[in-house]
Short mmCIF file of all heavy atoms in Angstrom, two decimals:
data_model
loop_
_atom_site.label_atom_id
_atom_site.label_comp_id
_atom_site.label_asym_id
_atom_site.label_seq_id
_atom_site.Cartn_x
_atom_site.Cartn_y
_atom_site.Cartn_z
N SER U 236 72.01 -131.46 134.64
CA SER U 236 70.70 -130.98 135.08
C SER U 236 70.83 -129.92 136.16
O SER U 236 70.16 -128.91 136.12
CB SER U 236 69.85 -132.15 135.59
OG SER U 236 70.49 -132.77 136.69
N PHE U 237 71.70 -130.14 137.13
CA PHE U 237 71.90 -129.17 138.21
C PHE U 237 73.27 -129.44 138.79
O PHE U 237 73.46 -130.40 139.53
CB PHE U 237 70.80 -129.34 139.26
CG PHE U 237 70.68 -128.15 140.18
CD1 PHE U 237 70.17 -126.96 139.71
CD2 PHE U 237 71.09 -128.24 141.48
CE1 PHE U 237 70.05 -125.87 140.55
CE2 PHE U 237 70.99 -127.15 142.33
CZ PHE U 237 70.46 -125.95 141.85
N SER U 238 74.21 -128.61 138.47
CA SER U 238 75.60 -128.88 138.78
C SER U 238 75.94 -128.62 140.24
O SER U 238 75.89 -127.49 140.72
CB SER U 238 76.49 -128.00 137.90
OG SER U 238 77.81 -128.08 138.36
N ASN U 239 76.33 -129.67 140.95
CA ASN U 239 76.83 -129.51 142.31
C ASN U 239 78.13 -128.71 142.31
O ASN U 239 78.37 -127.91 143.21
CB ASN U 239 77.08 -130.87 142.97
CG ASN U 239 75.78 -131.57 143.29
OD1 ASN U 239 74.74 -130.95 143.40
ND2 ASN U 239 75.86 -132.87 143.44
N SER U 240 78.96 -128.92 141.30
CA SER U 240 80.25 -128.23 141.25
C SER U 240 80.09 -126.72 141.22
O SER U 240 80.79 -125.99 141.89
CB SER U 240 81.05 -128.66 140.02
OG SER U 240 81.35 -130.02 140.08
N VAL U 241 79.14 -126.25 140.43
CA VAL U 241 78.93 -124.82 140.34
C VAL U 241 78.40 -124.27 141.67
O VAL U 241 78.82 -123.23 142.14
CB VAL U 241 77.97 -124.47 139.18
CG1 VAL U 241 77.57 -123.01 139.20
CG2 VAL U 241 78.62 -124.82 137.85
N LEU U 242 77.49 -125.01 142.30
CA LEU U 242 76.96 -124.58 143.59
C LEU U 242 78.04 -124.54 144.67
O LEU U 242 78.05 -123.65 145.52
CB LEU U 242 75.85 -125.52 144.05
CG LEU U 242 74.55 -125.44 143.29
CD1 LEU U 242 73.60 -126.52 143.80
CD2 LEU U 242 73.92 -124.08 143.44
N GLU U 243 78.95 -125.51 144.64
CA GLU U 243 79.96 -125.62 145.68
C GLU U 243 81.13 -124.66 145.47
O GLU U 243 81.92 -124.43 146.37
CB GLU U 243 80.50 -127.05 145.74
CG GLU U 243 79.43 -128.04 146.20
CD GLU U 243 79.81 -129.48 145.93
OE1 GLU U 243 80.86 -129.73 145.31
OE2 GLU U 243 79.03 -130.36 146.32
N ASP U 244 81.22 -124.09 144.28
CA ASP U 244 82.39 -123.26 143.94
C ASP U 244 82.47 -121.99 144.77
O ASP U 244 83.50 -121.63 145.28
CB ASP U 244 82.35 -122.94 142.45
CG ASP U 244 83.54 -122.15 142.00
OD1 ASP U 244 84.60 -122.27 142.62
OD2 ASP U 244 83.40 -121.40 141.03
N GLY U 245 81.37 -121.26 144.90
CA GLY U 245 81.35 -120.06 145.71
C GLY U 245 81.78 -118.80 144.99
O GLY U 245 81.66 -117.71 145.52
N VAL U 246 82.31 -118.90 143.81
CA VAL U 246 82.70 -117.73 143.02
C VAL U 246 82.25 -117.95 141.59
O VAL U 246 81.86 -119.04 141.21
CB VAL U 246 84.23 -117.49 143.05
CG1 VAL U 246 84.69 -117.15 144.44
CG2 VAL U 246 84.99 -118.67 142.51
N GLN U 247 82.30 -116.89 140.80
CA GLN U 247 81.88 -116.98 139.42
C GLN U 247 83.07 -116.80 138.49
O GLN U 247 84.12 -116.33 138.90
CB GLN U 247 80.84 -115.90 139.12
CG GLN U 247 79.55 -116.09 139.88
CD GLN U 247 78.77 -117.28 139.36
OE1 GLN U 247 78.86 -117.62 138.20
NE2 GLN U 247 78.00 -117.90 140.22
N GLY U 248 82.88 -117.12 137.26
CA GLY U 248 83.92 -116.98 136.25
C GLY U 248 83.28 -116.82 134.89
O GLY U 248 82.51 -115.89 134.67
N PHE U 249 83.53 -117.77 134.02
CA PHE U 249 83.02 -117.73 132.65
C PHE U 249 82.10 -118.91 132.38
O PHE U 249 82.29 -119.98 132.93
CB PHE U 249 84.16 -117.81 131.65
CG PHE U 249 85.10 -116.64 131.69
CD1 PHE U 249 86.39 -116.80 132.14
CD2 PHE U 249 84.70 -115.39 131.26
CE1 PHE U 249 87.27 -115.73 132.17
CE2 PHE U 249 85.56 -114.31 131.29
CZ PHE U 249 86.85 -114.49 131.74
N ILE U 250 81.16 -118.69 131.49
CA ILE U 250 80.37 -119.78 130.95
C ILE U 250 80.72 -119.88 129.47
O ILE U 250 80.70 -118.87 128.77
CB ILE U 250 78.86 -119.52 131.12
CG1 ILE U 250 78.53 -119.46 132.62
CG2 ILE U 250 78.05 -120.60 130.41
CD1 ILE U 250 77.09 -119.10 132.90
#
Side-chain angles (χ1 to χ4, degrees):
S236 60
F237 197 71
S238 170
N239 288 339
S240 297
V241 171
L242 288 176
E243 294 165 356
D244 183 27
V246 295
Q247 295 289 331
F249 295 111
I250 297 175

